[in-house]
Amino acid sequence: MSTSHTPSKLKPTRLLAALFGSGVLFALPAQAMNGAQLGGYGIKNAGMGGASIALPLDASAAVNNPAGMAFVPQSFAINVIVFNGQSTANTPAIPGLVGAQTFEDNTTVSAPEGGANWVISPTLTAGISLSAAGAGVDFGKPLLPFPGLTNVQASQKVAEIIPSITWKVQPNLALGMSVNFATQQLNSQGLVAITPMGFPAQLPAHGTQTASGTGARLGVLWQTNPELSLGATYKFKTNMGQLGDYAKDILAYSDGKIDLPSEYGVGLAWKAAPALTVAADYLMIEYGDVKANQNPSGQGWKNQQVLRLGAAWELDTNWTLRGGISTNTRQIESDRAAQNITSPAVSNLAITAGATFKLDNASDLSFSLEGNPTTTLDGTGSSAGYSITGNRVTVVRFGYQRSF
């Protein structure tokens, strides 16, 4: 790993302070690919369908596998994510109260992403990465067309700052550990419950409530030979604090908390030809182990399996092109469609593309694009008549990376 490049005029420490202290830290997706999570983290890996556990490509690597930072040069990366999501929710008629309704959401937001990595010695590195997640809607009208009811708006947003450290047991084998410093925001208004008498009653709006928590990640990355790398990672469940007065109503079952799920995954990267690299991941996100998702009358998210496949082609000495695909098992079951109209994370297929242009020996510019085709979840059982459609989700990233 070379560290002899001329330092950037923008000091990495100053850049990171601006990145992590930014007010747009919580401008997160309204409908993500894998439940509340983006389809991929790190601009280059995102262009490969999110495949990343055995293929660290920049200082965002700790989000995917902390051991990957051992194979990232001393460098920083700063990316901007621009997210656009459209969704539609249909609700059935309530006899004697209101007819069938349609609710639409169209959200465009932006958020930062990136990190930095320092090579301490040939066997040790230390770094810091940023991760973001979220779900929610803003329908712009009440759930029921009655006087006094407010417009429906709901969002759950999470940002994680992830310091990491790695140790190369051997030149081709690294262990990594990171700590997740998570901050979470919840804002919900306009939700309506039907009273035992059969009349609608609007739940109180508690405004934006914030909680924090700390968790950890472990990882291993083994470059078995110059052509093949294998990786594995585990993220422990992050126990979050109480989200204020939401503990009195919508989060009463989980004592006012929404913990961040544990997850684990394995991946491989294969250099199939001098200019071609192929990578694949299997990831399990354990939403079902979070108490808030075990509420019998709540959203009821289940564990979610994710498969990611991508390829990178070095077109010439300056350009690298990328493409990929990602799919998952939907975490929302059809009989919970009614409870999930304000968190319409139903996308289960993503197609991605990306490119990197090398500016010089120390820096590059990258771009990635993710598109999620339209998909619909039709309610069954107690949710019959409800449906959620993810009409279109597009995620665009622009990024800059520099060694120092």
Side-chain angles (χ1 to χ4, degrees):
M1 296 183 184
S2 174
T3 59
S4 61
H5 299 304
T6 302
S8 168
K9 294 180 181 179
L10 178 59
K11 293 183 179 181
T13 52
R14 183 175 299 174
L15 180 145
L16 286 171
L19 178 65
F20 297 143
S22 170
V24 298
L25 187 65
F26 289 102
L28 307 180
Q31 316 149 49
M33 168 61 184
N34 299 321
Q37 299 187 18
L38 292 169
Y41 289 93
I43 188 170
K44 297 175 181 178
N45 295 105
M48 299 176 65
S52 54
I53 294 175
L55 187 65
L57 295 176
D58 62 26
S60 299
V63 181
N64 305 307
N65 179 358
M69 297 289 266
F71 299 96
V72 173
Q74 184 158 289
S75 59
F76 69 81
I78 181 168
N79 309 323
V80 175
I81 306 170
V82 180
F83 173 96
N84 176 260
Q86 300 177 13
S87 67
T88 302
N90 294 300
T91 63
I94 302 177
L97 287 178
V98 66
Q101 295 191 89
T102 297
F103 300 88
E104 295 182 348
D105 175 66
N106 188 338
T107 301
T108 299
V109 296
S110 61
E113 179 188 60
N117 196 43
W118 289 268
V119 178
I120 299 172
S121 74
T123 59
L124 294 175
T125 71
I128 188 167
S129 305
L130 174 65
S131 170
V137 295
D138 184 354
F139 287 141
K141 67 177 185 179
L143 272 178
L144 298 173
F146 297 156
L149 298 184
T150 57
N151 293 343
V152 180
Q153 184 177 2
S155 65
Q156 180 199 359
K157 304 173 182 179
V158 177
E160 292 178 87
I161 296 175
I162 307 169
S164 61
I165 188 166
T166 70
W167 173 44
K168 281 189 174 180
V169 182
Q170 298 177 1
N172 65 337
L173 175 64
L175 304 177
M177 180 182 71
S178 63
V179 179
N180 306 324
F181 294 109
T183 301
Q184 178 184 67
Q185 287 186 345
L186 180 67
N187 190 338
S188 176
Q189 68 173 41
L191 299 185
V192 174
I194 302 299
T195 67
M197 300 296 293
F199 298 104
Q202 183 167 282
L203 296 175
H206 304 299
T208 298
Q209 299 291 331
T210 302
S212 60
T214 304
R217 302 171 190 243
L218 300 174
V220 59
L221 184 56
W222 179 30
Q223 295 182 337
T224 63
N225 59 53
E227 287 76 40
L228 181 65
S229 296
L230 303 175
T233 186
Y234 184 84
K235 177 184 178 183
F236 295 88
K237 183 168 67 175
T238 303
N239 295 316
M240 302 298 294
Q242 190 177 87
L243 287 158
D245 288 340
Y246 288 109
K248 298 177 181 178
D249 39 61
I250 62 175
L251 294 179
Y253 182 87
S254 58
D255 303 317
K257 302 177 181 181
I258 307 176
D259 295 332
L260 306 186
S262 57
E263 58 186 66
Y264 59 87
V266 294
L268 65 85
W270 173 44
K271 198 168 185 62
L276 177 65
T277 300
V278 179
D281 289 348
Y282 168 83
L283 181 68
M284 171 69 81
I285 306 173
E286 298 184 304
Y287 289 118
D289 292 344
V290 173
K291 188 175 181 180
N293 288 324
Q294 297 169 0
N295 184 347
S297 60
Q299 293 174 325
W301 284 17
K302 303 298 183 182
N303 291 352
Q304 183 176 58
Q305 299 180 76
V306 181
L307 294 175
R308 306 186 291 211
L309 177 65
W313 178 35
E314 296 177 14
L315 182 62
D316 54 35
T317 56
N318 293 323
W319 284 97
T320 299
L321 305 181
R322 300 182 179 88
I325 189 170
S326 175
T327 185
N328 64 47
T329 57
R330 189 178 284 141
Q331 83 286 359
I332 302 173
E333 295 190 341
S334 60
D335 62 354
R336 294 294 181 101
Q339 292 92 334
N340 280 277
I341 62 172
T342 58
S343 55
V346 297
S347 296
N348 57 5
L349 176 66
I351 300 170
T352 69
T356 293
F357 177 70
K358 192 173 183 180
L359 298 172
D360 53 42
N361 289 335
S363 60
D364 59 53
L365 294 173
S366 294
F367 162 84
S368 72
L369 173 67
E370 175 188 326
N372 302 151
T374 298
T375 184
T376 298
L377 173 66
D378 291 316
T380 60
S382 60
S383 290
Y386 290 85
S387 68
I388 303 169
T389 298
N391 292 327
R392 181 173 60 83
V393 177
T394 304
V395 184
V396 181
R397 284 175 166 93
F398 300 92
Y400 174 73
Q401 175 177 292
R402 183 175 182 85
S403 300
F404 58 87

